[in-house]
Every structure is written in C-alpha cells, then in structure tokens.
C-alpha cells in the first residue's frame, strides 16, 4: 500500500454504537482539527439502535470530504470471527498515519494531528506519538482534574503496564498492516494494547506531555466492570 501520492495524510478510525449522547462532541473534535494537510474520518456505526447513525449522516452531509462513514445493519462486534479493523477499516485507509478515537471520547486540542504528524515526519525512527487524556466520569457528570498517560521508556516497561491512552495516539499505518498478519496477538478484550506493544518492539515511542482529549469512563464497558471478580478476570 502506497501513501506518498495520496492527498490524505491521516486516517482516523472511530467506532460508534449507541453513542447518541456523545457522538456530536466526538465528531466536532475531528472537524475542528487545524491542519495543513487533508485527513479522513472513517466512522463505523455498528448497527446502533438509537439516533447515532442519523447524527453521523448529518456530519457526512456537512463535511463530505472528511467524514467517510460505514453503516452496519447487523452488529459486527458481536460476531466472533470478525476482525473489525481488518475487515472494515484497512480496505478504506488512505493515510500514511492513523489516529483512533471512539465515539464516546473526544479531542480537545485542535492542533493534535498537526503537531503529531509534524513530529513523525521529522523523526523517522519513531513509530507512534501519544499524549495525556483527562477522564470524564459519566455517573458524576464531571471531568476529573487528573489525567492519564505517561512516558514509557521501553517495550519491557510497556509490557508491565499500558500507559498509552488510545484516543491520543497517532502512528504509522505500515505498523498496523504488519500487525494484522500476526493473528495470535488479536484479542477484542485487550483492545489496542497488543498493537502498542508491537510498535514498541519495532520503533521508538514519543510521549508528548500535554492533554489532547477526554476519555469518557462509563459504568460498564469493555474494560470497566460491575464487580471485582470480573475486573480481576480481565486483568489476568
């Protein structure tokens, strides 16, 4: 796959499911990015049963050169043998770089992409750049004063603890293409963590000590549970 001749520099992967309360803020974070290059947002609505798809269609009409949606009629995440990124995202990717932000999270820095691409363009030995994110605690309806995301100095350190907030990353597409060929590393419950480990094994990682967005902590999600036992099983 060749990226140099394409106008689009960054492809953003956004998954959405029943995010009608949050998706507006997420999409605004994308279209408000200030860049000297073109980027695309591949928004995957996974057969939402609320008005999420209608909101995405509204943005698609308003920003047709940016918002590139995929609308499912049957929920794909629940299908055991579907690899969402490989099946739906990669065939549409045009960017040399990839950023990720789920439909219930959002970016707060309008220069996020510009700063990250500038760094990666100037530092070919780095494969990924990331920063910090604040946490919006949904059941308290407020943003925490603290943030998460911190420097990791090596692959071994990252293996002990994932310190990379997914919504803050920007990385080289070539590493995702390579990673998708390693089937044993794919696990829905682990999210993007194995991908960060793969990139760390191949290149340097850059930590930018600044808040780039907000992670929305819901009461129940893929990595948050209603019991200690469930949480322990996930960690193991």
């Amino acid at each position: 796959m060749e990226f140099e001749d394409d106008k689009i520099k960054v492809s953003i992967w956004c998954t959405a499911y029943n995010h009608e309360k949050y998706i507006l803020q997420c999409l605004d974070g994308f279209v408000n990015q200030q860049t000297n290059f073109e980027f695309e947002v591949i928004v995957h609505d996974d057969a939402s049963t609320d008005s999420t798809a209608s909101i995405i269609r509204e943005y698609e009409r308003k920003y047709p050169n940016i918002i590139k949606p995929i609308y499912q009629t049957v929920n794909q995440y629940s299908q055991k043998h579907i690899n969402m990124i490989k099946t739906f995202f990669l065939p549409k990717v045009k960017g040399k770089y990839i950023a990720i932000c789920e439909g219930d999270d959002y970016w707060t820095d309008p220069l996020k992409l510009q700063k990250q691409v500038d760094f990666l363009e100037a530092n070919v030995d780095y494969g990924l750049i990331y920063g910090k994110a604040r946490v919006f605690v949904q059941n308290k309806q407020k943003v925490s004063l603290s943030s998460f995301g911190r420097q990791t100095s090596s692959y071994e350190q990252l293996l002990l603890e994932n310190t990379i907030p997914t919504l803050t990353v920007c990385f080289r597409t070539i590493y995702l293409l390579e990673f998708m060929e390693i089937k044993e590393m794919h696990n829905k419950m682990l999210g993007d963590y194995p991908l960060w480990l793969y990139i760390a094994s191949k290149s340097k990682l850059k930590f930018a000590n600044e808040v780039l967005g907000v992670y929305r902590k819901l009461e129940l999600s893929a990595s948050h549970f209603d019991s200690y036992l469930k949480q322990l099983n996930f960690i193991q």
Side-chain angles (χ1 to χ4, degrees):
M1 187 180 290
E2 181 61 55
F3 308 104
E4 298 297 335
D5 295 331
D6 291 324
K7 291 182 180 179
I8 292 175
K9 185 75 75 173
V10 180
S11 295
I12 301 165
W13 174 235
C14 176
T15 56
Y17 177 71
N18 287 354
H19 286 159
E20 64 179 2
K21 296 178 181 178
Y22 324 120
I23 194 68
L24 278 169
Q25 206 166 18
C26 178
L27 295 174
D28 281 341
F30 299 147
V31 301
N32 289 334
Q33 287 295 299
Q34 300 169 19
T35 65
N36 60 13
F37 53 80
E38 293 184 27
F39 60 91
E40 63 179 355
V41 182
I42 301 173
V43 190
H44 182 267
D45 178 72
D46 202 8
S48 293
T49 57
D50 60 8
S51 63
T52 300
S54 298
I55 296 170
I56 295 171
R57 285 191 175 92
E58 187 178 320
Y59 274 74
E60 179 188 10
R61 287 191 294 270
K62 193 172 181 180
Y63 304 97
N65 295 326
I66 298 177
I67 306 298
K68 311 291 179 62
I70 301 170
Y71 301 107
Q72 299 291 355
T73 55
V74 176
N75 184 269
Q76 299 299 310
Y77 184 81
S78 61
Q79 309 300 311
K80 291 183 179 180
H81 303 296
I82 293 289
N83 184 306
M84 306 277 278
I85 289 180
K86 191 171 187 177
T87 304
F88 303 114
F89 179 54
L90 278 182
K92 293 182 175 293
V93 166
K94 295 179 181 178
K96 180 180 178 182
Y97 303 104
I98 289 174
I100 303 174
C101 185
E102 295 189 2
D104 52 350
D105 302 329
Y106 59 96
W107 295 345
T108 54
D109 186 347
L111 296 176
K112 175 192 183 292
L113 291 182
Q114 185 67 60
K115 291 184 289 189
Q116 293 182 320
V117 168
D118 285 348
F119 177 84
L120 292 173
E121 290 279 273
N123 298 272
V124 295
D125 51 337
Y126 284 80
L128 178 149
I129 181 171
Y130 68 101
K132 296 193 293 188
R134 296 206 183 279
V135 178
F136 185 90
V137 184
Q138 190 63 31
N139 60 2
K140 295 182 179 178
Q141 286 294 300
K142 68 176 184 178
V143 177
S144 171
L145 295 177
S146 62
S147 60
F148 76 102
R150 63 181 185 276
Q151 176 72 49
T152 184
S153 58
S154 66
Y155 170 85
E156 289 76 16
Q157 185 178 352
L158 184 63
L159 190 60
L160 292 175
E161 182 183 5
N162 182 11
T163 60
I164 301 176
T166 295
L167 71 122
T168 70
V169 304
C170 184
F171 59 92
R172 300 183 191 276
T173 303
I174 187 65
Y175 289 122
L176 180 60
L177 294 173
E178 293 174 1
F179 176 76
M180 281 297 133
E181 300 305 315
I182 308 174
K183 294 180 180 178
E184 63 268 20
M185 291 188 73
H186 300 163
N187 187 315
K188 287 182 181 180
M189 290 299 292
L190 290 178
D192 304 302
Y193 186 25
L195 175 58
W196 310 155
L197 288 168
Y198 178 78
I199 297 175
S201 74
K202 297 289 185 177
S203 70
K204 295 180 182 179
L205 307 181
K206 172 65 176 178
F207 171 64
N209 190 17
E210 56 184 329
V211 174
L212 301 175
V214 174
Y215 169 77
R216 196 180 303 273
K217 185 177 180 181
L218 305 177
E219 291 186 60
L220 295 176
S221 69
S223 58
H224 292 99
F225 305 95
D226 56 358
S227 77
Y228 173 76
L229 183 59
K230 291 180 182 179
Q231 183 75 26
L232 181 62
N233 287 336
F234 172 77
I235 293 170
Q236 290 176 335

